Amino acid sequence: MEIKVTRAETERIRPEDSDLGFGQVFTDHMFVMDYSQDKGWHNPEITPYTDFAISPAAMVFHYGQAIFEGLKAYKTAEKKIQLFRARDNFERMNRSAKGMCIPQFDVDFIMDALKKLIKIEEKWIPETIGTSLYIRPTIIATDPFLGVRASFSYKFYIILSSVGAYYAEGLNPVKIWVSKEHVRAVKGGVGEFKTAGNYAASLIASEEAKEDGYAQVLWLDAIERKYIEEVGAMNIFFVVDDEILTPNLTGSILPGITRYSVISLAKKWGMKISERKISIDEIFKAHDKGKLKEVFGSGTAAVISPVGEIRYGDKAISIGDGTPGEIAMKFYDTLTDIQYGRTRESENWIEVVE
Ligand SMILES: *Cc1c(COP(=O)(O)O)cnc(C)c1O
């Protein structure tokens, strides 16, 4: 399939890196492709970034048949453009597609389309430390139809957003809040897919956490309300004594690519790491015995996010001394060194956009 390219008539100027924030500044172009039953995926195009004209009856608006991904492109000191594990994101997107009855797409074709788009948008990749180009691939159901079934037509698009340094003020540990009342996802449901409805369903608990002064929600399993699952848009790790613990993937947890990267580095470094059921009580007990050394989240946006406090009901525990833990920093430094091309040992996780 040939990708048709239409360049924008006027190109905008990227704001100062310090004004970028996250997910607010979009680039001049986007990638769009359509799906119909008779043509399959067709009409791949790079077009000027613009609004879609779409029926108010489009099924995505009513029944939430939508999936997305989040990944980043980084500029190295040598001005090379690097993608971190991008194929893994598109493979996960195809798994999300399967789970939501959306047709599969060709990962190699999309990788080429993404590279082509990024090359056109090169000037939108900021270069100061910690900044990047955030990539948001999305698929939505577009049949104008009221009635619950899988759509027969879809739109696949990729938009890009120049994003500022997540840690402009250093890696300050965040405070997280365990939701007792609400659950994010249930085994047998769609928690392991990056589908829009999961995030809509999480809003009420986030609002409650924020009212209490907490940045993010820590979710427990939906059945026993006992076992730790993950944070808002991050997976979670605990360092207890000399062992790293993270919840095993049960079907209700989003399988993070940063999570896989942390696990594989820990194994490579000979650290003790276990993926298993972890109850919230176990963590609070470990803390009481002085064994809980570090807690950190992992996800594309922040890479590694140290956790400084966990609140569960009327009990709150503090972890560490208000600065990021040593192990969290080791993962953060190694992963960002790979992403920004500061090391040759990239674990085969880098694809250069040429
Ligand atoms: C995207 C996401 C993550 C992190 O995944 P990465 O691939 O590491 O960015 C974790 N949890 C949820 C709910 C997510 O949506």
Side-chain angles (χ1 to χ4, degrees):
M1 261 191 309
E2 187 79 29
I3 301 171
K4 184 179 159 204
V5 179
T6 312
R7 296 293 291 246
E9 273 171 30
T10 53
E11 298 197 349
R12 288 166 302 123
I13 294 171
R14 191 181 87 229
E16 293 290 324
D17 288 1
S18 54
D19 293 337
L20 290 172
F22 191 92
Q24 300 165 55
V25 172
F26 298 101
T27 70
D28 291 320
H29 299 86
M30 61 184 177
F31 170 79
V32 188
M33 158 170 98
D34 294 311
Y35 180 90
S36 66
Q37 277 194 315
D38 53 331
K39 291 187 191 151
W41 288 110
H42 64 285
N43 274 352
E45 266 191 279
I46 290 173
T47 70
Y49 183 96
T50 183
D51 295 348
F52 290 136
I54 190 167
S55 166
M59 292 182 77
V60 63
F61 298 135
H62 306 272
Y63 312 114
Q65 201 189 4
I67 56 173
F68 66 92
E69 267 304 324
L71 64 156
K72 285 173 169 176
Y74 307 83
K75 199 68 157 289
T76 71
E78 295 77 38
K79 313 273 182 215
K80 274 196 297 187
I81 307 168
Q82 302 206 135
L83 291 167
F84 179 76
R85 307 193 70 169
R87 270 170 210 279
D88 294 334
N89 284 91
F90 289 118
E91 276 158 18
R92 180 171 70 190
M93 194 175 191
N94 258 339
R95 288 197 299 277
S96 297
K98 187 159 182 258
M100 305 306 294
C101 295
I102 291 170
Q104 298 286 292
F105 58 85
D106 184 289
V107 171
D108 286 325
F109 176 77
I110 286 297
M111 280 296 295
D112 287 345
L114 173 63
K115 288 179 183 169
K116 202 165 183 170
L117 175 64
I118 289 176
K119 279 196 62 176
I120 290 174
E121 300 294 60
E122 176 156 9
K123 69 165 200 225
W124 288 94
I125 311 175
E127 293 179 18
T128 44
I129 288 179
T131 62
S132 57
L133 186 71
Y134 186 77
I135 302 161
R136 170 52 58 91
T138 309
I139 302 178
I140 54 170
T142 50
D143 279 10
F145 176 72
L146 302 182
V148 180
R149 59 156 170 79
S151 181
F152 300 138
S153 62
Y154 298 87
K155 201 176 266 305
F156 184 132
Y157 60 93
I158 303 176
I159 54 174
L160 306 175
S161 173
S162 310
V163 300
Y166 196 89
Y167 292 114
E169 278 110 47
L171 277 83
N172 286 324
V174 294
K175 293 164 68 179
I176 60 178
W177 185 91
V178 182
S179 177
K180 280 195 131 174
E181 191 181 348
H182 306 287
V183 293
R184 175 183 174 274
V186 65
K187 217 180 200 166
V190 296
E192 64 185 325
F193 308 128
K194 251 178 150 63
T195 184
N198 285 337
Y199 304 85
S202 74
L203 297 176
I204 188 157
S206 306
E207 296 287 308
E208 287 175 13
K210 275 181 204 147
E211 268 171 37
D212 268 5
Y214 288 80
Q216 303 249 13
V217 176
L218 179 63
W219 299 101
L220 299 183
D221 80 278
I223 295 165
E224 295 181 67
R225 309 276 181 112
K226 221 168 116 177
Y227 296 102
I228 294 168
E229 301 232 303
E230 61 176 316
V231 191
M234 286 194 293
N235 297 107
I236 186 109
F237 291 83
F238 302 90
V239 183
V240 177
D241 283 333
D242 64 343
E243 189 179 18
I244 305 172
L245 305 175
T246 194
N248 54 321
L249 301 176
T250 53
S252 50
I253 296 174
L254 200 291
I257 287 157
T258 323
R259 174 188 180 277
Y260 285 127
S261 307
V262 166
I263 294 170
S264 110
L265 287 174
K267 287 185 176 160
K268 182 186 157 189
W269 294 336
M271 290 171 156
K272 259 206 262 176
I273 182 153
S274 308
E275 296 174 60
R276 63 163 169 84
K277 275 182 154 183
I278 305 160
S279 73
I280 187 73
D281 287 342
E282 175 184 350
I283 293 305
F284 273 62
K285 280 194 185 122
H287 173 266
D288 291 346
K289 291 187 189 146
K291 294 173 165 207
L292 182 63
K293 305 288 194 268
E294 294 187 31
V295 180
F296 58 90
S298 73
T300 295
V303 188
I304 297 292
S305 180
V307 173
E309 185 183 322
I310 304 176
R311 164 86 172 269
Y312 179 48
D314 48 19
K315 219 179 149 204
I317 56 172
S318 328
I319 303 113
D321 58 2
T323 62
E326 212 176 291
I327 293 177
M329 280 313 290
K330 189 170 157 78
F331 286 117
Y332 179 79
D333 290 340
T334 306
L335 288 169
T336 52
D337 282 351
I338 293 172
Q339 290 162 344
Y340 290 93
R342 296 188 294 252
T343 173
R344 282 172 178 280
E345 279 184 60
S346 65
E347 315 294 326
N348 281 327
W349 290 340
I350 294 299
E351 225 170 293
V352 174
V353 179
E354 292 172 309

